[in-house]
Amino acid sequence: MLSYRHSFHAGNHADVLKHLVLTLILETLKQKEKGFFYLDTHSGVGRYSLSSAEAEKTGEYVEGIARLWDRCDLPEEVALYVQEIKKINRGKLRYYAGSPLLAVNQLRPQDRALLTELHPADYPLLRQEFAKIQNVTTKRENGFQQLKSALPPKEKRGLVLIDPPYELKEDYELVVKAIIEGYKRFATGIYAIWYPVVLRQHTKRIIRGLQETGIRKILQIELSVRPDSDQRGMTASGMIVINPPWQLEAQMKKVLPYLTSVLTPEKTGSWTVEWITPE
Ligand code: SAM
């Protein structure tokens, strides 16, 4: 079953958090001259029109990227991310860059990316978006499998973004299994896992599963726009980062109070940055 389409959600508060963290990790990887590998297991299409029927139907970006677009007081870390979205727009907010486009736009010639996506309608759009870029490969393959088949990378440094739709509850277990496989092959890699908070007990399954792996250095970053609820709907989202760059914890503690207040002007939001397992 592949019914999830990211075009309904592009640029929402969860994308803002995810793509801010992604931008900051890539920025740190670029501090060394040596090339790195970027693996995006669940890529989506790359570029989203915010005037599409899907985006207009939900209007989710209005409470996400649109709230940052015109701000003059962005902390420098947030400004870096917003700048990446501005690069694909001419003045007015019309398009949103999904994780593969955001990442590929930040790669240098010595870096390399592998982008996978399974959806029969989304994959051709992804392939077309990156067809002419030399150091980028797209594949219509199962993203979870790539942690076995594409790791370790020859560059011996890199970032794996795992961003499943969680429309199937088994995704919560598959994420942990994929991490075990990836970590066996590439223990020094950075792994960033996105998760939604729809029902808190599902999120706890990932956390418990990761704790049981015995892997160290796992940081959890979360932004809630509303308190937890057992009604339908996403109240929060987070990023779990294994082997985070040393700056990331402080960067997120610095910007999350700002981000939370701008994304939830009605003051219903909150944030956390904590270690699931420290070093
Ligand atoms: N990472 C994208 C971004 O940040 O812009 C959004 C990805 S969206 C949350 C999840 C995507 O995973 C969907 O496009 C869906 O079609 C795709 N998908 C679902 N199961 C998959 C699988 N097993 N392997 C690869 N892609 C999958």
Side-chain angles (χ1 to χ4, degrees), residues 19 22-23 26-27 30 36 38 40 45-48 80-89 95-113 115 126 129-136:
H19 296 149
L22 174 63
T23 301
L26 291 170
E27 194 59 24
K30 289 198 301 187
F36 63 84
Y38 171 68
D40 201 325
V45 304
R47 185 186 303 260
Y48 299 92
L80 261 179
Y81 150 68
V82 174
Q83 196 48 43
E84 288 301 321
I85 308 299
K86 292 208 164 171
K87 269 189 202 165
I88 65 155
N89 285 282
Y95 296 99
Y96 188 74
S99 54
L101 185 60
L102 203 69
V104 167
N105 282 347
Q106 294 177 71
L107 296 188
R108 307 160 300 177
Q110 66 267 44
D111 305 322
R112 179 170 67 95
L115 316 172
L126 180 76
E129 178 76 40
F130 299 104
K132 296 203 176 98
I133 305 185
Q134 268 204 342
N135 49 348
V136 177

Side-chain angles (χ1 to χ4, degrees), residues 1-6 9 14-15 18 41-42 117 144 147 160-179 191-207 210 220-222 232-234 236-242 276:
M1 184 184 72
L2 278 170
S3 53
Y4 179 93
R5 310 297 300 276
H6 197 63
H9 311 290
D15 264 6
K18 180 202 320 173
T41 60
H42 296 68
E117 167 59 45
F144 293 120
L147 283 94
V160 178
L161 174 67
I162 307 178
D163 182 18
Y166 299 97
E167 60 181 341
L168 302 174
K169 291 206 186 68
E170 67 195 37
D171 278 357
Y172 291 91
E173 265 94 53
L174 290 176
V175 163
V176 177
K177 284 192 182 141
I179 288 293
Y191 297 83
I193 304 159
W194 179 83
Y195 67 86
V197 181
V198 179
L199 282 178
R200 181 60 70 177
Q201 65 256 38
H202 292 324
T203 312
K204 286 188 178 157
R205 271 158 69 188
I206 298 190
I207 310 286
L210 288 172
Q220 181 181 11
I221 300 160
E222 189 172 296
R232 277 187 72 82
M234 178 170 63
S237 71
M239 289 286 271
I240 296 172
V241 187
I242 302 176
I276 295 176

Side-chain angles (χ1 to χ4, degrees), residues 103-264:
V104 167
N105 282 347
Q106 294 177 71
L107 296 188
R108 307 160 300 177
Q110 66 267 44
D111 305 322
R112 179 170 67 95
L114 170 61
L115 316 172
T116 53
E117 167 59 45
L118 264 187
H119 198 286
D122 284 353
Y123 176 69
L125 299 172
L126 180 76
R127 188 185 51 201
Q128 193 185 353
E129 178 76 40
F130 299 104
K132 296 203 176 98
I133 305 185
Q134 268 204 342
N135 49 348
V136 177
T137 306
T138 57
K139 288 186 180 169
R140 186 170 173 210
E141 283 183 14
N142 188 324
F144 293 120
Q145 294 294 334
Q146 306 311 309
L147 283 94
K148 271 189 182 176
S149 55
L151 301 181
K154 62 176 190 287
E155 294 83 354
K156 297 197 173 69
R157 55 192 301 260
L159 166 64
V160 178
L161 174 67
I162 307 178
D163 182 18
Y166 299 97
E167 60 181 341
L168 302 174
K169 291 206 186 68
E170 67 195 37
D171 278 357
Y172 291 91
E173 265 94 53
L174 290 176
V175 163
V176 177
K177 284 192 182 141
I179 288 293
I180 293 171
E181 292 299 337
Y183 197 83
K184 258 197 274 187
R185 293 165 174 81
F186 184 37
T188 54
I190 303 172
Y191 297 83
I193 304 159
W194 179 83
Y195 67 86
V197 181
V198 179
L199 282 178
R200 181 60 70 177
Q201 65 256 38
H202 292 324
T203 312
K204 286 188 178 157
R205 271 158 69 188
I206 298 190
I207 310 286
R208 262 198 309 272
L210 288 172
Q211 279 167 334
E212 283 165 11
T213 64
I215 295 172
R216 313 297 300 172
K217 274 174 87 176
I218 311 182
L219 186 67
Q220 181 181 11
I221 300 160
E222 189 172 296
L223 194 163
S224 305
V225 291
R226 289 190 303 281
D228 284 4
S229 153
D230 54 9
Q231 309 299 312
R232 277 187 72 82
M234 178 170 63
T235 56
S237 71
M239 289 286 271
I240 296 172
V241 187
I242 302 176
N243 295 327
W246 66 267
Q247 305 94 321
L248 190 67
E249 178 186 9
Q251 287 173 320
M252 295 314 295
K253 284 182 172 165
K254 178 185 160 209
V255 303
L256 278 172
Y258 172 89
L259 207 56
T260 308
S261 74
V262 172
L263 293 182
T264 59

Side-chain angles (χ1 to χ4, degrees), residues 25-59:
I25 296 175
L26 291 170
E27 194 59 24
T28 315
L29 280 166
K30 289 198 301 187
Q31 284 171 4
K32 282 199 182 137
E33 206 38 49
K34 191 174 180 318
F36 63 84
F37 176 57
Y38 171 68
L39 169 59
D40 201 325
T41 60
H42 296 68
S43 293
V45 304
R47 185 186 303 260
Y48 299 92
S49 164
L50 297 176
S51 54
S52 69
E54 294 94 325
E56 289 208 330
K57 181 164 183 215
T58 61

